[in-house]
Amino acid sequence: QVQLVESGGGLVKPGGSLRLSCAASGFTFSDYYMSWIRQAPGKGLEWVSYISSSGSTIYYADSVKGRFTISRDNAKNSLYLQMNSLRAEDTAVYYCARQEVGLVFDIWGQGTMVTVSS
Amino acid sequence: SSELTQDPAVSVALGQTVRITCQGDSLRSYYASWYQQKPGQAPVLVIYGKNNRPSGIPDRFSGSSSGNTASLTITGAQAEDEADYYCNSRDSSGNHAVFGGGTQLTVL
């Protein structure tokens, strides 16, 4: 079945780094744009970044631009998010999502929690 | 601040019809999508495009749009529809996704 599984979350100190991974299965990963979306505890959804199917087009939310880097490895059916210079306000559940035309997110992973705290 | 605005909370009696709205200038140019999120779970897409439902979504869920407002309508709300609902679309640049702040739906 179509599935996305995130990993790599955890507790990190302010200013630290973390790399999230998302393993895709059940569909042709290389055909789809992919996004990272986050949700702070008790808050709403916030889109973070997306990457085109080939990796040639990338966009970031202003809140993470210059600190986060999205990438993908189509041979490994995997999506990544490198997070540097982490701040307390980056604390959230991070979801990877498959993206359809129109920035529609039709498949979501279960999420991985990132906590930034000293 | 979010470029899409939703009412924070809405309630509906069991079996009745409820409309959840989402307002934003970008909705004049782009369709909204709608997501249902239950506590401790990932969001689930329920409506996208003009009024399309993914496979497995009950037909009591429907979408519409007029001007700068998109709406999600649940006709005959069920207890299992109690959840948070989020709209999303593109921002004014067209290159970034944006979500509404979410609406907590209570089924009485």
Side-chain angles (χ1 to χ4, degrees):
Chain A
Q1 73 280 22
V2 175
Q3 194 173 10
L4 297 170
V5 178
E6 302 93 336
S7 60
L11 175 63
V12 60
K13 289 181 168 54
S17 298
L18 210 56
R19 189 195 195 207
L20 306 183
S21 299
C22 171
S25 60
F27 65 99
T28 305
F29 180 71
S30 58
D31 284 349
Y32 288 88
Y33 284 40
M34 298 293 295
S35 267
W36 287 99
I37 297 159
R38 68 184 181 184
Q39 187 170 34
K43 303 296 184 183
L45 299 170
E46 180 189 16
W47 171 78
V48 172
S49 178
Y50 82 69
I51 185 168
S52 63
S53 52
S54 67
S56 60
T57 300
I58 288 172
Y59 287 100
Y60 298 98
D62 290 344
S63 57
V64 306
K65 195 169 185 178
R67 300 188 299 122
F68 289 12
T69 302
I70 191 172
S71 62
R72 65 190 296 159
D73 185 336
N74 286 342
K76 294 183 177 180
N77 292 334
S78 292
L79 176 73
Y80 306 101
L81 186 68
Q82 177 66 44
M83 304 186 294
N84 298 332
S85 303
L86 283 162
R87 307 166 180 166
E89 53 265 36
D90 296 319
T91 294
V93 174
Y94 284 74
Y95 297 100
C96 68
R98 191 176 80 172
Q99 188 172 313
E100 283 282 15
V101 172
L103 286 170
V104 176
F105 307 107
D106 66 335
I107 303 294
W108 297 62
Q110 86 289 349
T112 188
M113 183 71 202
V114 172
T115 302
V116 184
S117 175
S118 55
Chain B
S1 63
S2 174
E3 295 183 36
L4 297 178
T5 301
Q6 298 182 239
D7 291 329
V10 170
S11 62
V12 60
L14 184 67
Q16 297 303 301
T17 296
V18 63
R19 177 173 292 180
I20 298 170
T21 61
C22 174
Q23 289 188 302
D25 287 340
S26 64
L27 298 180
R28 297 183 185 278
S29 304
Y30 304 109
Y31 287 118
S33 301
W34 292 91
Y35 304 83
Q36 176 192 71
Q37 187 180 33
K38 297 181 179 179
Q41 298 183 19
V44 173
L45 177 67
V46 294
I47 290 289
Y48 66 98
K50 190 173 183 179
N51 181 19
N52 300 302
R53 282 177 289 106
S55 174
I57 301 301
D59 60 5
R60 64 178 177 271
F61 290 88
S62 63
S64 61
S65 184
S66 178
N68 73 335
T69 301
S71 300
L72 172 71
T73 300
I74 307 173
T75 304
Q78 302 299 302
E80 60 264 32
D81 299 334
E82 188 162 287
D84 293 329
Y85 290 85
Y86 295 90
C87 61
N88 102 283
S89 188
R90 299 174 184 263
D91 72 351
S92 53
S93 76
N95 294 320
H96 291 192
V98 62
F99 285 92
T103 297
Q104 183 177 52
L105 175 67
T106 300
V107 179
L108 303 171

